[in-house]
Amino acid sequence: MKLVHSPVELRALVAEWRRDRLKVSMVPTMGNLHAGHYSLVRGARERGDRVVASVFVNPTQFGPHEDFARYPRTLDADARGLAAQDCDVLFAPAVEAVYPFGTEAATRVEVVGVTETLEGAFRPGHFAGVATVVLRLLNLVQPDVALFGRKDYQQLLTIRRLVTDLCLPIEIVAAPTVREANGLAMSSRNQYLSADERDRAAQIYRTLQHMRDGVLRGDALEAIEAAAVAELDAAGFHTDYAAIRQATDLSASTPGQCDGLIALIATRLGSTRLIDNLAIDG
Ligand code: PAF
């Protein structure tokens, strides 16, 4: 596997692959890779002749009081893990390569329609930062296919809309959430949790399952959402939202609807904020 920092070098490699008519798949990440990322890389391997994984901790998607400074940076371990998954290139650009005019003066992309609610309401500017960097990374690498995890569901919808709306000729593939044995969704942020908190964090997935069961039983959605928050409160969480929405665009569901819904939770355990979701199909 090649470690590439320079966009010029990356472009030369990709141009060579294109001359050989090879299909390029990409997995954009912020590094600190875990089994969830590696399943994306395996999906990329299945879909492409060449696989590029990017590692870039994107400053513009973190709020002023979020964990940008302490976000774990583990490039050497990431490189070893990616090589073991038969990744072809690890692209790790510098901030100046991604934001040549600096982050303040960067051209920004605002995806409208799916970004205002839920995460967007609690993390103002987050999805503009995500869309801004993903467009840059896709333009730098120019893959045929890019893979994103379902765990960050609203991010996935945002990126799908970005790619469709801006006419990028790239297929976006959604990959299933990978979970710990206790149900906790894998996330780089799990390492902020103590051993005890990791055990307790399994409650999030249990609560999502209870929300799904409630919808399938025909319970009122407001009651299901309130019960979910109460359940998380009782387990020591501070919850930003526990919501049931349309899976297509996160708008409100219609009365009596069972199909095409999704339950989503964002909640805090100590100082760690965790998100997860579960699709509901009647
Ligand atoms: O999901 C992530 O790791 C990031 O939000 C992404 C898509 C790589 C953009 O920085």
Side-chain angles (χ1 to χ4, degrees):
M1 187 188 69
K2 250 186 148 82
L3 171 60
V4 176
H5 295 289
S6 142
V8 175
E9 195 185 329
L10 180 82
R11 277 272 169 83
L13 265 174
V14 174
E16 215 174 280
W17 295 340
R18 291 224 176 283
R19 266 196 304 275
D20 295 340
R21 299 191 180 286
L22 297 174
K23 187 172 172 186
V24 181
S25 35
M26 175 180 191
V27 180
T29 82
M30 296 208 299
N32 195 238
L33 304 180
H34 50 65
H37 295 112
Y38 294 133
S39 82
L40 292 174
V41 174
R42 284 194 297 279
R45 182 83 273 162
E46 281 163 21
R47 287 172 175 84
D49 304 303
R50 293 289 180 272
V51 175
V52 179
S54 63
V55 169
F56 181 69
V57 184
N58 172 36
T60 66
Q61 70 187 76
F62 290 81
H65 305 295
E66 295 184 356
D67 54 346
F68 175 66
R70 74 165 178 150
Y71 199 86
R73 288 149 171 94
T74 53
L75 193 64
D76 291 345
D78 294 344
R80 285 194 296 276
L82 288 167
Q85 298 294 332
D86 205 17
C87 180
D88 295 292
V89 169
L90 162 49
F91 177 47
V95 175
E96 302 73 46
V98 178
Y99 294 106
F101 297 102
T103 51
E104 291 303 315
T107 302
R108 298 179 71 78
V109 188
E110 188 95 42
V111 174
V112 177
V114 291
T115 60
E116 296 82 357
T117 186
L118 302 174
E119 285 304 282
F122 284 90
R123 303 182 69 188
H126 170 67
F127 287 120
V130 169
T132 296
V133 81
V134 168
L135 180 61
R136 284 167 155 74
L137 292 169
L138 294 176
N139 278 335
L140 284 164
V141 178
Q142 301 187 331
D144 299 288
V145 185
L147 291 89
F148 295 86
R150 280 187 184 278
K151 193 215 149 235
D152 295 313
Y153 188 75
Q154 193 170 7
Q155 167 173 287
L156 172 68
L157 290 186
T158 302
I159 291 164
R160 280 197 188 288
R161 249 178 117 119
L162 168 83
V163 163
T164 305
D165 212 10
L166 298 185
C167 317
L168 302 186
I170 300 171
E171 182 192 354
I172 300 299
V173 172
T177 301
V178 178
R179 299 183 180 281
E180 306 278 0
N182 70 1
L184 174 64
M186 294 225 178
S187 162
S188 300
R189 291 193 166 102
N190 291 354
Q191 65 182 265
Y192 301 148
L193 301 170
S194 66
D196 169 60
E197 285 175 330
R198 255 176 199 252
D199 290 342
R200 284 162 53 210
Q203 182 60 48
I204 300 172
Y205 188 50
R206 283 198 291 274
T207 299
L208 284 168
Q209 290 171 314
H210 296 161
M211 293 172 80
R212 180 195 56 198
D213 296 346
V215 172
L216 297 179
R217 265 197 314 270
D219 297 352
L221 297 190
E222 302 74 49
I224 297 171
E225 291 172 350
V229 173
E231 209 172 277
L232 289 163
D233 279 356
F237 291 82
H238 296 280
T239 298
D240 288 343
Y241 58 80
I244 293 158
R245 298 289 178 87
Q246 305 270 9
T248 47
D249 61 2
L250 302 177
S251 61
S253 61
T254 54
Q257 182 183 358
C258 270
D259 273 343
L261 294 178
I262 184 160
L264 308 106
I265 288 176
T267 192
R268 282 165 286 125
L269 191 54
S271 58
T272 308
R273 189 172 183 277
L274 299 166
I275 63 171
D276 198 357
N277 65 80
L278 184 64
I280 303 172
D281 279 305

